[in-house]
Amino acid sequence: MTEAVLIDLFSLPANLQNNIQGLLRNTLETIEKCSSIPAPFVYVMCCQRQGGERNSERQSLLPALRDFQSLNKRLEVVHALTTAAALYTIKQRLDEKDLSIIKVVLPTLRKDVMKVYIDYFFTEVYQFEFEDLQVASDCENLQIAEPRSEGQMLPAQDVALIRSEIQMYLESLPSLKGELTILRSFLIPDDIFLHGFTTRTGGISYIPTLSSCNLFSSSKRRDPQVVVKENLRRLANAAGFNPETFHRVKIAHANAVCIMGKTEPDTYDGIVTNQKGVTIAAPGADCIPVLFADPVRKACGAAHSGWKGTLLGVSMAIVNAMVSEYGCNVKDILVVLGPSVGPCCYRLPHESAKEFHRIHPKCVRLFDSASPYIDLRRATRILLERGGILPENIQDDSVTDQNQNITFCTACHPDKFYSHFRDGTNFGTQLGFISIKD
């Protein structure tokens, strides 16, 4: 069932430009007549001419819009200088209304171009169908445009131009929710390592639960990879690392570790390196992003430690990898626990809580309840100390610094951090990153 219709008048052939009102009127008549639901939302995408007044251009379309009272409050004309700007504006309108099933009405020759823009701007959350823009007297005359065959894909140079246009547009957008903020540890020496933990401010993601510096894209979320890439570019500029040599873990909620320079596993929740200029990172949106640094052997690591990874010992897997691969002494390794859900908020079913109780009874609060509170950080510290990490070499601000300059509870601070526990399935992601300086 179509929830919204996008009419693309952006690049009409020259011989049709003078008949734009007639084309729009015919298309709206068909939508009004054939829609499977009453009055879907309709967005008309038009090119704003250089130096042209947006209001005057919109006024020129009014005669074609006046007769469609059922669409009146659900119809919007979007003018922009580029397709990227127009389509991104329409995406914002769709997301505001939580719409995801869209019919695109456009000239046949425009279809393959539009598909490239859609692939960049939209994830698998959305469904699209395409119709030819043409004069039609009834529903049956609206022909569905067939996709190009395998050998007729859009030329690579055209795709590159579209990608460049999108990148330039996203780079021009203002930061949301304030300036980009990076939290840094007092424990990791900044003359050897570049590191930090991100917050949710300073990016361009606009959906409330993802706004604004979301650093992870998923087919199940509305933030596309191209937006996450722009957020990462802004982070890299602020932090001082090269986004082209940036590597994040491939989460499986387990304990596999990737050794940079060796064969990359399909999935891994930990990553280590001794290569200079390579930035490694672990995400978190309640799970703990854990950073590791050995200033003696000049090696570092990052781990994503959720409740499953914590029980599987992902943090000690990082330590063991640093020892075996780089000859690190366990007593030289520094560990910093980043922003993560605290024992004040995080609960698990009783069966899962038993595993944490076995690590130490203090890792669980209200143990006899159906959903006890779990202290992931305490469990991580205990396992690290049992593995030989010195207590003074572990930074967990919830116990070592009551001012909490790094280890905030993500669920308790919606202004600073994303939280899956708090926000539900369409949640954003922050991360911890570290690299060895050149």
Side-chain angles (χ1 to χ4, degrees):
M1 183 183 294
T2 299
E3 298 172 337
V5 177
L6 165 58
I7 304 172
D8 177 17
L9 304 181
F10 200 89
S11 298
L12 286 178
N15 64 321
L16 293 179
Q17 288 287 352
N18 294 331
N19 194 31
I20 192 170
Q21 286 194 28
L23 280 169
L24 182 56
R25 180 184 294 275
N26 281 312
T27 304
L28 291 175
E29 283 177 351
T30 305
I31 292 170
E32 196 171 47
K33 184 178 178 181
C34 304
S35 176
S36 58
I37 59 172
F41 290 93
V42 178
Y43 300 94
V44 182
M45 193 168 89
C46 300
C47 180
Q48 180 184 351
R49 295 182 296 274
Q50 287 281 359
E53 290 293 329
R54 200 175 278 194
N55 287 337
S56 64
E57 292 183 354
R58 188 176 281 112
Q59 290 291 324
S60 70
L61 294 178
L62 284 179
L65 307 179
R66 287 194 183 109
D67 296 334
F68 300 95
Q69 294 304 313
S70 66
L71 298 175
N72 190 31
K73 293 182 179 180
R74 291 171 170 249
L75 189 149
E76 180 178 354
V77 179
V78 177
H79 285 88
L81 294 175
T82 65
T83 298
L87 189 58
Y88 195 72
T89 299
I90 291 170
K91 181 181 185 298
Q92 289 177 293
R93 303 293 189 270
L94 296 171
D95 290 336
E96 286 168 3
K97 300 175 179 67
D98 199 29
L99 306 177
S100 57
I101 305 174
I102 302 107
K103 177 179 288 186
V104 183
V105 183
L106 75 177
T108 305
L109 293 177
R110 175 86 164 155
K111 182 181 178 184
D112 292 303
V113 171
M114 180 58 74
K115 279 189 170 183
V116 175
Y117 283 99
I118 286 172
D119 285 345
Y120 275 112
F121 275 142
F122 295 87
T123 67
E124 293 177 22
V125 168
Y126 308 84
Q127 300 175 39
F128 289 89
E129 64 173 301
F130 296 85
E131 281 186 0
D132 285 345
L133 177 65
Q134 59 181 8
V135 176
S137 58
D138 55 46
C139 304
E140 285 71 26
N141 287 341
L142 275 178
Q143 300 172 3
I144 304 298
E146 293 296 326
R148 288 189 178 211
S149 64
E150 191 70 24
Q152 294 180 296
M153 301 302 293
L154 205 64
Q157 61 267 32
D158 291 351
V159 175
L161 287 172
I162 292 171
R163 184 169 60 246
S164 177
E165 177 195 317
I166 290 172
Q167 182 177 338
M168 288 179 62
Y169 173 69
L170 294 180
E171 287 181 7
S172 74
L173 295 177
S175 297
L176 303 175
K177 286 186 174 288
E179 294 301 311
L180 198 147
T181 302
I182 300 171
L183 307 176
R184 293 183 173 88
S185 167
F186 62 81
L187 195 60
I188 297 177
D190 59 10
D191 59 330
I192 301 174
F193 300 98
L194 184 153
H195 82 284
F197 296 91
T198 66
T199 69
R200 68 182 300 168
T201 63
I204 63 168
S205 302
Y206 58 82
I207 295 169
T209 55
L210 301 176
S211 181
S212 67
C213 195
N214 173 40
L215 291 164
F216 184 75
S217 180
S218 161
S219 61
K220 298 177 182 178
R221 307 184 202 176
R222 288 178 173 258
D223 232 4
Q225 185 61 46
V226 69
V227 168
V228 171
K229 187 175 180 180
E230 172 57 19
N231 288 340
L232 178 63
R233 186 194 67 82
R234 296 185 184 206
L235 170 62
N237 284 348
F241 65 79
N242 180 0
E244 300 303 319
T245 57
F246 175 86
H247 302 271
R248 81 184 83 205
V249 302
K250 296 182 178 179
I251 296 173
H253 296 279
N255 61 359
V257 176
C258 174
I259 314 297
M260 287 296 299
K262 294 190 174 183
T263 303
E264 182 183 19
D266 292 334
T267 59
Y268 50 94
D269 285 78
I271 184 169
V272 296
T273 189
N274 65 349
Q275 301 174 22
K276 292 182 177 180
V278 173
T279 303
I280 57 177
D286 289 334
C287 300
I288 314 172
V290 190
L291 298 183
F292 303 77
D294 180 352
V296 178
R297 301 296 296 181
K298 293 183 173 57
C300 60
H304 162 265
S305 186
W307 73 267
K308 292 180 181 178
T310 300
L311 293 176
L312 290 170
V314 66
S315 289
M316 274 309 300
I318 291 280
V319 172
N320 293 335
M322 292 175 69
V323 170
S324 62
E325 295 292 329
Y326 311 127
C328 298
N329 186 323
V330 70
K331 297 188 184 304
D332 295 327
I333 296 175
L334 311 173
V335 185
V336 181
L337 279 58
S340 47
V341 67
C344 47
C345 297
Y346 191 53
R347 308 179 81 158
L348 284 174
H350 189 78
E351 283 302 309
S352 300
K354 286 180 181 178
E355 299 299 317
F356 286 91
H357 195 268
R358 290 189 185 102
I359 293 173
H360 197 285
K362 288 188 176 180
C363 294
V364 183
R365 183 163 58 89
L366 302 181
F367 179 64
D368 292 330
S369 67
S371 299
Y373 290 88
I374 307 299
D375 192 337
L376 293 178
R377 301 166 189 164
R378 183 188 292 270
T380 300
R381 292 198 316 271
I382 290 171
L383 294 173
L384 285 168
E385 290 175 21
R386 287 176 184 171
I389 298 293
L390 299 176
E392 60 267 28
N393 284 349
I394 303 173
Q395 182 178 353
D396 172 4
D397 296 327
S398 59
V399 293
T400 58
D401 182 356
Q402 294 306 310
N403 291 324
Q404 290 193 329
N405 67 319
I406 285 183
T407 320
F408 293 87
C409 173
T410 47
C412 284
H413 295 85
D415 56 326
K416 291 185 174 70
F417 303 107
Y418 301 110
S419 170
H420 182 196
F421 180 80
R422 182 191 65 231
D423 298 333
T425 54
N426 199 37
F427 61 97
T429 302
Q430 51 265 333
L431 54 77
F433 63 89
I434 188 166
S435 64
I436 305 163
K437 291 184 175 179
D438 291 326

